[in-house]
Every structure is written in structure tokens, then in C-alpha cells.
């Protein structure tokens, strides 16, 4: 439970301050931004003595302050997010569907608050959350971004979704993703190409790119994602967000469309480290339902179960001074170029700030740490994908089933050549072909699994025997996030954590130079902080202090995209939408021609 919920008197002063701050552009939620040609920041807005709550850059804490002091209602809050979605999603292609019950759920929370019901004191009370559309939900389709699964309607929520709801969250909707979470461009046959809100010519990273773009654009407060190689960390880096990939086993993967059980992980994204800590606590408490769909959860040590990760921000690591952080030299691209120079320059500044804060940096030059080589030799997705997807499709349900409506029941049903119901990047044609022929019985699979165990041993030795490290750092991507229409999301460094099951917190660390016509703030750049298993609390503390060491907050909300920095007025005035949630229709009309449907 958030401590702020137990002290409404203390909130009153904060709430009064928020009331004043929300009338101007410069506030705790909306820091002063440089004037950008072609945009209007409305810096001279007149003072409104009873303004609506400003949801731009809002946090869990600021929303709870406003709710418990009467500055807003849950219904009005959710209405404000729906208004932003209606205004900006048509250009971003970030959201595939909205929860038709969202406003009813908000009204129910308002009734609880009005009656003084103590059950309203929940850590995510009224917090709008967006789910990557490969999480099972009983009240919304789960499509994995594929036209072939447009009618997939699971009978129950994934345990992680259930935990979010029990914590008081309102599931606002579901986000676009790279189809079946197989790459990082974030383009799908159902939802089209998701656009990076900071640079309309670039992808948002992926595969959880819809979540990344939506949270960055203030279409919700928190978002979930999955990560098989880079898929949570890549969009966090590309959208100036914080993300978390957990230690393997900490969060159940049950009820999520699988890619491969060796590498899959479930986690989340937020605009700030404090919100990420709350999300980590809630998601890590999700238990597997009967049937134990994810047996890795038995690995969780007793002392880790039920841990409140928010405590790491306040009662954990006190400072950076004295920490030993390894820097993986092989995860940098030292070749000069327009796409690599900004990353190297930002990372050089980060390392300098860390040293100034008393961190001892240890340069790791072992040749084993080469992301491209590691992926080529050890990645096991193609051996596991078909079997895992077959098992998921065999037991799922489809809308209208029993009335003649059915859907795919196997990998082969989906990937039927000529049927324009799926999208595969040309660079991944071999991936799908290999998945048809490989399995967990393939000799190559055992060779790769043995190599993964050796990599785990090597990483453990790098941490302890050789260097006595607290964590390891490196850029999430060696170059800027790639442009729309690129062959693949090249240059990413997520494979080490994916194969070893190590926890990672991704933090925003800077921007490229401004590109006036496309990126008025520059392109975001993120850094990974990788730790030993079960050290999420330490990593979160390090992440917090890294953010502080970098000076003024790195996080800036996007200002392009037709006014992403502006307040969006709710239809019907301050009272918000009545009862009807607007309908989002997935739109695949902006898929680049270089990604033809139905081909591999």
C-alpha cells in the first residue's frame, strides 16, 4: 500500500500546490521546455481557479493526491486519458482496443471514495494501465497484433492482469506490438506501424512499441510488455521511459502469448522510477493460476516473495559512491557515424557523471560480450516458438465459437502462405522457415542450451571472481532507434539478459541533437543496468541515483505529433464522457510497402 494513501492530511498542502501548478505549462508534471518552431505551448494561459487535473506527466502519487483531496474524480481522470487517445492514437497507431468498461469501473471507484470505503486504499487505485496485446484478457481480444487472431477471446485474465486489477488499476486498453513479439520495428498486420512520438520518421523500438509510444505520449500512466530479447528495454530507451525486465521466474508468464520459455519475460514501463517501483511490486505478486502455467516461479527465494520494491527508493541504497559498475565495451559501436555518435556521446557524459558521483567504473573487455555473436550462437527462439504457440492456440477460445466462428489452432494455421493474415519482416523469413523445422528435440537446441549455461557461468564470474561488481551498464542500443521501413531493429544489446535470465532496469540517459523537421527534442537514448539474479531492489536504487546524478531530469514529454505537449479538452466539458468509451479501430493502412503481408 502506498504510504501517501494513509495520510490524507499531509496530502492537502501538496494538492493545493498541484492545483496551482496545473494551470501553467511549467510544473512538476510539465517541466519548462524550449520553444519549438511550429508548436504552441500555451505558456500564457490565464489562471483558472478551478482547473481540471492536468494528466500530462502525471504519476501514481500525483493522481492519488488529486483523488483523495477532491481535485478530480476517477471518472474525470479516465475521461481525460480517453480524450488524449482519441486525439493522438490515429497518428501514433499505439493502441489496438479500449476497455468498454473503463468508465463504469471509474465510477465505481468514485462511489467507494465517496463512501469512505477502506477497500479503496489500493496501490494502483484508478491508475490507467495499458497492456501489450499479448496478455490474455477475458473482456478484450488478445491478438498479438495479428489479423489471424483478431477474434481470440481468452476465457480468463493472465495472472499479471488479475494482479493489476486487484491492486485497483483500470485496464484502459491494449497496445500494438511487433506482430507476435518477434522483432523490434513494432509493425503488425492488425495495427499497422506504431510511430515514435519523438520522431515521426522513426520506429518506437519493440516489440512492446505500442506500450512505449503510448506511455511516452501520456495516453496512460503505466504499461506492460514482454521481453524475449529486447522487447521491454528497446521501447523504453526509444521513448524516454524506465522499464524493468525481471529475473527469470520472478513474474509468471502464464496467460501470455509465448515466443520461447527460455527467454520470455514479463515486465513494465513507466515515465518515472517511483511509478516503476510500484508496478514492479504489484506484478511480482502475481501468482500462477491452477495448472501452474509457468514452473519457473518455483525458483523465487522465500525472502524475495512479496517484496515491496518501492522501499528500495526510500530505505535502500543511499548513494552511488563506492559502487563498482562494469562497463561492457563490446556493447558499444565505436565506429563513427550519424546514428552511433549520439549514443556514444551521451554515454560518455553518463560515465563521467557517475565517476564524479564516486562510482568506480570497471571496463569489461572480455571478447565473449559481443551481442551479435551471442545471439547468433545461443538464441533458441526458433526451437521453441512453434511448440509454445501450438500449445497456446490449442486451448484458447474465439469470439462466436459455437456459432461457426473459429480461429487458428496451430502455428501452421497462422503461417499459411498467401493468406494475408500475418506479417513477417523480410529479414525474418528464415526465422519462420526454421521454426517450422526446429523443435526442442533438435540436436542444435541442446548445444545452444549448453552454451547458455556456460554464458551464465561466465557472467557470474565477471560479477564476482574477477571484478566484484554491483551491476553492469551499457547502452540499450548501440545506435539511435531505427527509421520506419528499416530491415530490422539493429544494434540492440538485450540478448545477454534474455539468455541468462538476469534482471535489468532501463533508464533514460539523454537525447541526440535536435532534428528540427522530425525530432524537435532529439531522439531518446537509454541505458541498461543489469544485475545478479533477484537484485531488482538494488538495481532500482541504482537507477534512481543514476537519474539524480545526471542533473535535471532527462525525461521530457514529446512536443511534436500534432501537439502531444498540449492539454486535450474532454468532450462534453469537465464532467468527461458519460458512459460510453470511444471505440478504437485497428488500422493497418500505414504498413510500409517493404513489409508485404502473407509472405515469408
Amino acid at each position: 500500500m502506498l504510504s501517501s494513501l494513509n495520510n490524507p492530511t499531509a496530502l492537502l498542502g501538496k494538492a493545493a500546490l498541484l492545483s496551482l501548478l496545473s494551470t501553467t505549462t511549467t510544473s512538476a508534471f510539465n517541466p519548462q521546455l524550449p520553444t519549438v518552431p511550429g508548436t504552441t505551448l500555451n505558456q500564457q494561459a490565464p489562471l483558472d481557479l478551478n482547473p481540471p487535473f492536468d494528466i500530462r506527466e502525471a504519476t501514481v502519487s500525483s493522481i492519488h493526491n488529486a483523488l483523495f483531496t477532491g481535485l478530480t474524480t476517477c471518472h474525470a481522470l479516465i475521461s481525460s486519458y480517453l480524450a488524449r487517445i482519441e486525439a493522438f492514437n490515429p497518428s501514433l497507431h499505439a493502441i489496438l482496443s479500449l476497455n468498454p468498461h473503463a468508465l463504469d469501473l471509474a465510477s465505481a471507484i468514485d462511489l467507494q471514495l465517496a463512501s469512505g470505503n477502506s477497500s479503496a486504499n489500493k496501490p494502483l487505485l484508478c491508475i490507467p494501465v495499458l497492456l501489450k496485446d499479448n496478455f490474455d484478457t477475458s473482456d478484450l481480444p488478445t491478438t498479438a497484433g495479428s489479423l489471424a487472431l483478431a477474434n481470440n477471446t481468452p476465457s480468463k485474465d493472465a495472472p499479471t492482469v488479475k494482479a493489476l486489477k486487484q491492486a485497483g488499476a483500470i485496464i484502459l486498453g491494449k497496445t500494438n506490438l511487433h506482430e507476435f513479439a518477434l522483432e523490434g520495428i513494432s509493425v503488425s498486420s492488425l495495427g499497422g506501424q506504431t510511430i515514435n512520438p519523438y520522431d515521426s520518421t522513426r520506429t518506437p523500438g519493440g516489440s512492446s512499441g505500442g506500450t512505449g509510444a503510448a506511455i511516452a505520449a501520456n495516453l496512460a500512466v503505466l504499461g506492460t510488455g514482454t521481453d524475449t530479447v529486447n522487447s521491454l528495454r528497446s521501447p523504453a530507451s526509444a521513448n524516454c521511459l524506465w522499464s524493468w525486465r525481471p529475473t527469470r521466474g520472478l513474474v509468471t508468464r502464464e496467460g501470455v502469448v509465448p515466443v520461447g520459455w527460455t527467454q520470455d519475460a514479463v515486465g513494465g514501463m513507466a515515465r518515472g522510477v517511483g511509478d516503476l517501483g510500484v508496478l514492479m511490486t504489484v506484478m511480482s505478486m502475481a501468482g500462477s493460476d491452477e495448472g501452474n502455467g509457468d514452473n519457473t516461479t518455483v525458483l523465487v527465494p522465500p525472502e524475495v516473495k512479496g517484496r515491496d520494491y518501492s522501499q528500495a527508493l526510500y530505505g535502500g541504497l543511499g548513494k552511488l559512491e563506492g559502487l563498482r559498475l562494469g562497463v561492457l565495451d563490446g556493447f558499444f559501436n565505436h565506429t563513427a557515424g550519424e546514428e552511433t555518435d549520439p549514443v556514444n556521446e551521451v554515454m560518455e557524459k553518463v560515465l563521467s557523471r557517475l565517476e564524479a558521483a564516486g562510482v568506480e567504473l570497471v571496463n569489461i573487455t572480455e571478447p565473449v560480450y559481443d551481442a551479435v555473436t551471442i545471439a547468433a550462437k545461443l538464441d533458441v527462439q526458433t526451437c521453441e516458438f512453434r511448440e509454445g504457440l501450438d500449445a497456446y492456440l490449442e486451448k484458447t477460445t474465439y469470439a462466436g465459437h459455437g456459432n461457426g466462428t473459429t480461429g487458428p489452432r496451430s502455428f501452421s494455421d497462422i503461417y499459411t502462405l498467401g493468406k494475408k493474415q500475418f506479417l513477417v519482416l523480410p529479414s525474418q523469413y528464415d526465422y519462420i522457415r526454421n521454426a517450422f523445422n526446429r523443435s526442442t528435440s533438435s540436436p542444435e537446441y541442446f548445444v545452444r542450451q549448453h552454451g547458455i549455461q556456460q554464458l551464465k557461468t561466465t557472467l557470474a564470474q565477471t560479477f564476482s571472481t574477477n571484478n566484484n561488481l554491483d551491476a553492469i551498464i551499457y547502452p540499450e542500443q548501440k545506435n539511435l532507434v531505427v527509421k520506419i521501413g528499416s530491415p530490422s531493429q539493429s544494434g540492440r544489446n538485450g540478448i545477454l539478459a534474455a539468455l541468462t535470465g538476469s534482471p535489468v532496469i532501463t533508464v533514460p540517459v539523454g537525447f541526440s541533437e535536435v532534428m528540427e523537421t522530425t525530432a524537435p527534442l532529439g531522439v531518446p537514448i537509454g541505458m541498461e543496468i543489469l544485475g545478479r539474479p533477484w537484485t531488482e531492489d538494488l538495481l532500482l536504487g541504482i537507477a534512481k541515483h543514476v537519474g539524480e546524478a545526471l542533473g535535471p531530469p532527462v525525461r521530457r514529454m514529446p512536443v511534436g505529433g500534432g501537439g502531444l505537449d498540449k492539454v486535450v479538452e474532454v468532450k462534453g466539458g469537465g464532467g468527461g464522457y458519460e458512459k460510453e468509451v470511444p471505440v478504437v479501430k485497428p488500422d493497418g493502412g500505414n504498413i510500409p510497402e517493404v513489409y508485404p503481408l502473407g509472405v515469408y
Side-chain angles (χ1 to χ4, degrees):
M1 183 181 299
L2 294 179
S3 57
S4 61
L5 296 183
N6 295 321
N7 190 7
T9 303
L11 299 181
L12 213 43
K14 296 180 182 178
L17 179 60
L18 295 177
S19 165
L20 293 174
L21 290 176
S22 65
T23 63
T24 66
T25 301
T26 304
S27 75
F29 311 122
N30 187 22
Q32 184 76 41
L33 296 174
T35 300
V36 181
T39 65
T40 303
L41 298 184
N42 194 27
Q43 293 177 348
Q44 304 301 319
L47 181 66
D48 183 350
L49 296 180
N50 188 28
F53 179 72
D54 188 350
I55 63 169
R56 295 172 302 168
E57 302 296 282
T59 65
V60 172
S61 177
S62 70
I63 288 173
H64 285 168
N65 285 350
L67 279 176
F68 276 80
T69 54
L71 289 178
T72 190
T73 64
C74 188
H75 189 280
L77 183 87
I78 297 302
S79 293
S80 294
Y81 282 101
L82 293 175
R84 284 191 68 84
I85 290 168
E86 279 203 287
F88 300 123
N89 192 62
S91 59
L92 291 175
H93 290 252
I95 295 174
L96 295 178
S97 61
L98 289 176
N99 182 358
H101 308 299
L103 290 172
D104 291 337
L105 292 168
S107 295
I109 288 174
D110 286 332
L111 286 175
Q112 290 180 350
L113 290 170
S115 66
N117 190 332
S118 62
S119 66
N121 289 0
K122 296 180 178 180
L124 292 180
L125 181 73
C126 190
I127 301 302
V129 174
L130 287 168
L131 307 174
K132 183 178 183 178
D133 199 14
N134 57 354
F135 283 70
D136 279 356
T137 47
S138 60
D139 47 6
L140 287 169
T142 299
T143 71
S146 177
L147 283 168
L149 294 187
N151 294 314
N152 179 30
T153 53
S155 60
K156 62 182 180 179
D157 293 333
T160 43
V161 176
K162 184 177 178 181
L164 289 165
K165 290 181 176 180
Q166 290 175 337
I170 292 180
I171 304 303
L172 198 56
K174 303 184 82 173
T175 59
N176 200 13
L177 63 155
H178 194 99
E179 189 154 332
F180 283 106
L182 296 185
E183 234 281 354
I185 299 296
S186 290
V187 61
S188 71
S189 60
L190 181 64
Q193 173 67 65
T194 301
I195 309 300
N196 190 310
Y198 290 92
D199 184 342
S200 60
T201 68
R202 292 182 186 266
T203 65
S207 61
S208 310
T211 298
I215 302 305
N218 287 282
L219 306 188
V221 176
L222 301 172
T224 71
T226 58
D227 190 312
T228 305
V229 183
N230 297 275
S231 297
L232 275 159
R233 296 161 284 160
S234 166
S237 174
N239 291 281
C240 203
L241 300 173
W242 305 71
S243 77
W244 161 60
R245 177 191 167 104
T247 303
R248 187 170 188 256
L250 181 60
V251 180
T252 177
R253 301 166 297 179
E254 183 179 348
V256 176
V257 181
V259 178
W261 48 80
T262 296
Q263 298 171 214
D264 283 352
V266 168
M269 285 180 252
R271 289 186 294 271
V273 67
D275 284 358
L276 187 65
V278 179
L279 184 61
M280 289 168 63
T281 299
V282 171
M283 293 188 73
S284 63
M285 289 182 179
S288 288
D289 289 344
E290 60 278 0
N292 193 21
D294 184 1
N295 59 14
T296 63
T297 56
V298 302
L299 301 172
V300 183
E303 66 273 16
V304 172
K305 292 181 179 179
R307 181 172 284 173
D308 181 356
Y309 290 100
S310 296
Q311 294 301 313
L313 301 173
Y314 308 106
L317 181 71
K319 57 183 178 179
L320 291 174
E321 186 178 2
L323 289 181
R324 289 174 59 83
L325 300 182
V327 182
L328 291 186
D329 184 71
F331 280 23
F332 289 73
N333 184 342
H334 297 294
T335 303
E338 292 182 355
E339 298 295 301
T340 55
D341 287 349
V343 176
N344 291 333
E345 290 166 3
V346 164
M347 286 300 299
E348 184 178 353
K349 292 177 183 177
V350 170
L351 298 180
S352 176
R353 291 288 182 91
L354 293 179
E355 284 189 309
V359 173
E360 186 175 353
L361 298 176
V362 180
N363 194 28
I364 308 297
T365 59
E366 298 169 62
V368 67
Y369 296 118
D370 180 310
V372 174
T373 301
I374 292 172
K377 291 184 175 181
L378 301 180
D379 191 304
V380 293
Q381 292 178 72
T382 56
C383 296
E384 296 176 346
F385 181 39
R386 176 173 53 82
E387 292 181 2
L389 188 58
D390 281 350
Y392 174 87
L393 294 174
E394 183 180 357
K395 63 183 180 182
T396 196
T397 55
Y398 290 94
H401 185 62
N403 296 319
T405 302
T406 60
R409 289 296 174 193
S410 69
F411 177 91
S412 298
D413 287 347
I414 289 173
Y415 292 107
T416 300
L417 286 171
K419 293 181 70 173
K420 295 187 176 182
Q421 63 178 3
F422 66 85
L423 184 153
V424 178
L425 300 186
S427 63
Q428 283 204 305
Y429 288 172
D430 283 344
Y431 179 108
I432 298 300
R433 293 167 186 162
N434 288 334
F436 267 105
N437 300 314
R438 293 177 182 172
S439 72
T440 55
S441 298
S442 301
E444 181 181 359
Y445 182 67
F446 295 99
V447 173
R448 289 179 177 239
Q449 286 287 0
H450 178 67
I452 290 171
Q453 295 306 313
Q454 290 181 314
L455 181 63
K456 289 181 180 180
T457 299
T458 299
L459 181 60
Q461 290 173 341
T462 298
F463 263 101
S464 57
T465 307
N466 301 341
N467 303 294
N468 192 27
L469 302 177
D470 295 290
I472 292 174
I473 59 176
Y474 47 88
E476 200 293 318
Q477 194 162 6
K478 301 179 185 73
N479 42 267
L480 298 179
V481 67
V482 303
K483 294 187 176 181
I484 292 169
S486 295
S488 66
Q489 193 63 251
S490 59
R492 298 183 295 172
N493 289 319
I495 190 66
L496 179 62
L499 291 175
T500 60
S502 304
V504 173
I505 301 289
T506 305
V507 300
V509 291
F511 285 80
S512 72
E513 293 295 321
V514 168
M515 304 173 192
E516 290 189 6
T517 58
T518 63
L521 294 176
V523 179
I525 295 164
M527 181 181 79
E528 293 194 24
I529 307 173
L530 180 147
R532 306 174 195 237
W534 320 114
T535 60
E536 275 86 351
D537 51 348
L538 172 63
L539 296 183
L540 197 64
I542 293 174
K544 174 194 175 186
H545 291 297
V546 166
E548 293 170 349
L550 296 180
V554 171
R555 164 74 195 167
R556 286 178 278 175
M557 68 175 172
V559 301
L564 284 168
D565 58 317
K566 299 177 182 177
V567 173
V568 176
E569 293 187 7
V570 178
K571 292 180 180 179
Y577 296 82
E578 289 299 325
K579 290 186 178 181
E580 193 166 319
V581 173
V583 175
V584 168
K585 295 183 179 180
D587 179 9
N590 71 337
I591 297 173
E593 293 182 359
V594 291
Y595 309 141
L597 299 188
V599 181
Y600 59 81

